[in-house]
Amino acid sequence: MSAANRQILAMVLCGMILEVLLIQVNHSAAPTYVSLWMGGLAVTFASLRLGYREGLISVLLLGGLQDALAPVFFGLHVLLFATAHAIIFYIRNRFPREETVIGVLVALLANLGLFLVFSFTQIGASPAPGIVWGRLLVDLGFSQVALAAITPWFLALQERAVEIMGAGLRTEQRGVM
């Protein structure tokens, strides 16, 4: 198996771990009527650290997993994750993408953008859209706080998974020219 395929496999396995943990947390939090959504975390590492092709395949597979688990038309998560990947990949060379703080900021911004776009596409199916926005904003707030707390751990997990799979990452040398 090539290094690129091992990178993709590591990303998908880590994404599946994240999804299982989120399902458990959302199940436990169900009596409080709060749910967490962390789609931005699914695309962050692949978009910041992998090549375009490997990252795109990873986020497409993770988007398909999300589509299979969510009551939305199939392909919505795939489309949103691929778009987020392309945007992040395009601008990633403008900042030190190997830094954890940058990873947290990118995950927060990606999650915010994806959550809002996802909400706008699905709000029309609600019988009372005005009432639903309050709950969505509460979910977004809790999701962002939880995301900021677990992103360093998850990015380290993904980096270690890639190392364990034997598909090392290239790091960019930054400095004075």
Side-chain angles (χ1 to χ4, degrees):
M1 181 182 296
S2 71
N5 289 342
R6 289 191 302 262
Q7 287 176 345
I8 294 166
L9 181 61
M11 292 301 101
V12 171
L13 290 175
C14 288
M16 292 172 73
I17 290 170
L18 176 66
E19 189 58 35
V20 167
L21 292 174
L22 277 174
I23 288 170
Q24 293 300 315
V25 168
N26 285 335
H27 178 72
S28 298
T32 64
Y33 303 104
V34 173
S35 65
L36 300 180
W37 192 78
M38 297 193 182
L41 194 53
V43 300
T44 300
F45 189 86
S47 300
L48 287 177
R49 301 294 303 275
L50 300 183
Y52 185 78
R53 180 182 166 277
E54 294 83 13
L56 182 62
I57 293 170
S58 298
V59 300
L60 290 175
L61 291 171
L62 290 173
L65 173 67
Q66 288 286 326
D67 281 334
L69 298 172
V72 297
F73 66 89
F74 194 78
L76 179 61
H77 287 94
V78 171
L79 176 66
L80 292 178
F81 285 9
T83 303
H85 170 70
I87 291 168
I88 294 168
F89 189 86
Y90 179 72
I91 64 170
R92 76 182 190 173
N93 288 329
R94 293 178 170 81
F95 43 81
R97 61 186 178 180
E98 294 88 11
E99 298 293 326
T100 303
V101 173
I102 297 299
V104 172
L105 291 174
V106 169
L108 287 169
L109 291 173
N111 200 60
L112 175 66
L114 288 168
F115 186 91
L116 291 175
V117 171
F118 185 79
S119 297
F120 277 113
T121 62
Q122 299 303 306
I123 198 74
S126 173
I131 296 171
V132 173
W133 275 111
R135 180 172 185 271
L136 288 175
L137 292 177
V138 169
D139 287 350
L140 176 61
F142 280 107
S143 295
Q144 294 292 82
V145 169
L147 185 81
I150 71 162
T151 297
W153 166 79
F154 192 67
L155 294 177
L157 174 71
Q158 289 177 304
E159 189 167 357
R160 185 69 179 132
V162 170
E163 284 178 25
I164 289 171
M165 297 292 279
L169 297 169
R170 287 183 281 163
T171 57
E172 290 190 7
Q173 299 295 327
R174 298 189 181 273
V176 179
M177 295 205 288

